Amino acid sequence: MVFSSLVFISIFLPAVMILYWLLPSIRCRNFLLLAFSLLFYAYGEPVYVFLMIVSAFFNYICAWMMQCMDRNRSLILTAAVCINLGMLGVFKYAAFFTESLNAVTGLSIPVVQVALPVGISFFTFQAMSYVIDVYRKEVQAQRNFVHILLYISLFPQLIAGPIVKYHDIESEIISRSCSAREAALGIRRFIAGLGKKVLIANYMGVIADTLFASPLEHINIFGAWLGAAAYMLQIYFDFSGYSDMAIGIGWMFGFHFKENFNYPYRSVSIRDFWRRWHISLSGWFREYLYIPLGGNRRGKARTCMNKLIVFAATGLWHGANVTFLFWGLYHGMLLMIEEYVPLFRRECSGWKKIFGHLYVVLAVMIGFVFFRADSLSQGVCWVYKMFAGMQFGHAAMQLVLSLLTPVHLAAFAAGMIASGPLMKRSGQAKAVEGALWPLSIALLLVCMMNLAGSTYNPFIYFRF
């Protein structure tokens, strides 16, 4: 089940909210959220819901053992991390590594195709952060397994994050309150995210999917740039919209998840981009991989190597494909270059800021071409077409023109405008506050009508 579905909007979420507000105690409300969270996951993954429960119980036991024992704590942590990563390896990377080994060595090892549990990367990373924090004595091991299972399976952030660390919501699992005003603001935040997903990301997805599925001989310079720009907007509004919906649902039940995006396309360097893009993932890797590797404390050369390792891991986290690995290493190389370029080590202003912004947009767009491409060769050819695709035959031009409908152009314009903050001053926000509720209700109705009349509703990060 995904948030941008009529089943979730019309049935699941209203049912949870009504029952939640009718229950008197936090304990009853936690049991309700846990039951509905497991139902939410089982709706699409009826078998793998047991895998998630087993994973949560295993990490719960490991954390409790480390809490009770002074000896062998590091051994328990090592076992927990290895088994968590091993589970990811079996379900997500086994086929990829087997195929890669066969290609390199010429062997013919049978490739076992295993269905990927939805959201496995998200709930595994959350479980790992919990046991690592207990090992570091940053949090106490939780005695109540229900609390840990709720933390792992909480449906607002289960499928696609944000990746929530246990210490961020530990107190809210045990005791929390939610006013009617905060719940209302959560509803409005959810609707805004739904609008991003349905009215911008989905329309950009039609353009990107059509172009990337077309024969390369039908792609010219216009089609290449249109496809790259459309996918760049699709992936941002797809994922940031889902994060907005998750944060909004959290507010409805008294949980406060950290922001996951901060207008990344306004960045002036790749380093700045990664402070703004998928903040929960970059923060996880910084805290649990980059800093343990030594961070930037062991010289510039070691810092660059640590960043390459982190971004190789970031690429592989997104998927078992060489294109994702290349995308991660590509961003790591750009960060390494920025370490040695004086322009990026100073505060940007004036023309330098404009140059930095254009550089980020171009660099990120090229990176996302490889992220979207089915193979490295398609990615290379696509980038070549962006700068040298000078064929203007009927088929190539007709393909581009067929996608420039008024609806798609409107969605494109909305995406470019919404990529930055619409209201910079608080006075502007207050001036339109009274109109936000009617606009939100209208937006919800438009989204629901759109979902009812369309079968195209993909979610990019659903597979991670």
Side-chain angles (χ1 to χ4, degrees):
M1 190 185 306
V2 295
F3 297 160
S4 55
S5 67
L6 290 177
V7 172
F8 182 84
I9 298 168
S10 305
I11 301 173
F12 186 90
L13 185 57
V16 181
M17 287 190 66
I18 292 169
L19 292 173
Y20 183 87
W21 284 88
L22 288 175
L23 292 175
S25 68
I26 195 69
R27 183 179 181 184
C28 294
R29 290 178 171 185
N30 280 348
F31 274 110
L32 175 79
L33 287 179
L34 177 59
F36 271 92
S37 294
L38 296 177
L39 176 63
F40 176 84
Y41 194 80
Y43 183 85
E45 299 284 357
V47 175
Y48 286 141
V49 68
F50 297 105
L51 175 70
M52 182 179 63
I53 294 171
V54 170
S55 171
F57 185 72
F58 168 74
N59 287 281
Y60 162 77
I61 293 297
C62 288
W64 186 242
M65 289 172 64
M66 285 190 291
Q67 180 77 29
C68 298
M69 301 169 61
D70 291 329
R71 300 175 60 186
N72 299 323
R73 286 169 52 84
S74 59
L75 183 62
I76 296 170
L77 175 67
T78 301
V81 171
C82 288
I83 290 176
N84 277 297
L85 292 179
M87 183 179 70
L88 264 183
V90 168
F91 286 99
K92 193 168 183 177
Y93 304 109
F96 170 67
F97 286 127
T98 304
E99 290 170 355
S100 300
L101 183 63
N102 288 342
V104 171
T105 63
L107 298 174
S108 299
I109 301 172
V111 178
V112 179
Q113 298 292 342
V114 182
L116 180 66
V118 172
I120 187 173
S121 296
F122 288 95
F123 70 71
T124 301
F125 269 37
Q126 292 197 176
M128 287 174 61
S129 72
Y130 169 63
V131 294
I132 294 171
D133 285 349
V134 171
Y135 172 79
R136 293 174 174 177
K137 298 185 178 180
E138 295 178 1
V139 298
Q140 296 290 313
Q142 175 57 247
R143 295 188 179 189
N144 190 335
F145 175 61
V146 170
H147 289 175
I148 294 302
L149 186 56
L150 179 61
Y151 158 66
I152 298 294
S153 66
L154 191 61
F155 77 86
Q157 46 77 50
L158 171 60
I159 298 298
I163 299 173
V164 178
K165 301 182 183 74
Y166 180 69
H167 58 74
D168 289 335
I169 63 168
E170 178 183 17
S171 61
E172 291 180 338
I173 290 176
I174 298 169
S175 176
R176 64 185 177 276
S177 61
C178 180
S179 65
R181 184 180 186 279
E182 188 172 36
L185 291 175
I187 293 172
R188 203 163 71 190
R189 180 73 180 264
F190 174 87
I191 294 172
L194 183 67
K196 282 184 176 182
K197 170 72 181 80
V198 174
L199 301 181
I200 299 179
N202 283 2
Y203 283 104
M204 292 300 96
V206 170
I207 296 176
D209 288 355
T210 301
L211 288 168
F212 275 90
S214 299
L216 280 171
E217 57 267 24
H218 291 170
I219 302 298
N220 61 13
I221 189 170
F222 298 119
W225 279 96
L226 178 62
Y231 185 72
M232 188 175 178
L233 290 175
Q234 180 197 4
I235 193 170
Y236 171 59
F237 285 102
D238 190 88
F239 195 22
S240 71
Y242 210 92
S243 295
D244 285 340
M245 288 187 274
I247 291 169
I249 296 171
W251 289 354
M252 297 177 203
F253 302 112
F255 291 98
H256 298 85
F257 307 138
K258 292 184 177 179
E259 295 293 335
N260 210 21
F261 291 89
N262 182 23
Y263 304 109
Y265 295 159
R266 292 174 58 86
S267 304
V268 294
S269 67
I270 296 300
R271 181 171 56 184
D272 186 27
F273 174 80
W274 278 101
R275 292 194 193 105
R276 298 166 174 266
W277 177 272
H278 203 344
I279 298 169
S280 64
L281 178 65
S282 56
W284 196 99
F285 275 115
R286 181 177 61 252
E287 185 171 345
Y288 299 109
L289 183 58
Y290 179 65
I291 292 176
L293 285 172
N296 59 359
R297 303 187 302 274
R298 300 183 182 179
K300 190 166 290 187
R302 181 62 180 272
T303 298
C304 291
M305 180 57 64
N306 290 343
K307 288 183 177 180
L308 278 177
I309 293 171
V310 167
F311 276 90
T314 302
L316 285 175
W317 180 90
H318 282 86
N321 194 308
V322 68
T323 55
F324 295 116
L325 177 60
F326 177 86
W327 175 78
L329 290 172
Y330 167 80
H331 275 269
M333 289 294 295
L334 291 175
L335 284 168
M336 189 169 68
I337 292 170
E338 289 182 5
E339 285 286 334
Y340 291 92
V341 177
L343 173 65
F344 296 108
R345 298 203 301 267
R346 304 190 186 99
E347 188 71 25
C348 287
S349 61
W351 68 269
K352 292 182 180 179
K353 190 171 184 178
I354 296 172
F355 169 79
H357 177 66
L358 294 174
Y359 148 72
V360 168
V361 170
L362 178 61
V364 169
M365 185 182 294
I366 290 174
F368 277 142
V369 166
F370 288 95
F371 192 96
R372 174 60 181 81
D374 296 326
S375 63
L376 278 180
S377 60
Q378 185 190 26
V380 171
C381 291
W382 200 275
V383 174
Y384 172 80
K385 294 277 188 177
M386 289 173 67
F387 297 96
M390 296 302 176
Q391 67 270 32
F392 302 105
H394 176 75
M397 294 306 299
Q398 185 62 33
L399 178 62
V400 173
L401 293 174
S402 68
L403 295 170
L404 297 179
T405 66
V407 173
H408 288 108
L409 288 173
F412 217 112
M416 294 181 68
I417 293 169
S419 294
L422 298 179
M423 295 173 290
K424 293 184 178 180
R425 299 186 181 89
S426 60
Q428 291 176 311
K430 291 178 181 178
V432 299
E433 179 71 26
L436 287 179
W437 271 113
L439 288 174
S440 295
I441 294 170
L443 179 60
L444 176 61
L445 293 174
V446 170
C447 289
M448 293 180 72
M449 288 188 291
N450 191 286
L451 290 170
S454 174
T455 57
Y456 184 85
N457 188 33
F459 176 51
I460 294 172
Y461 272 72
F462 192 72
R463 57 184 172 171
F464 303 142

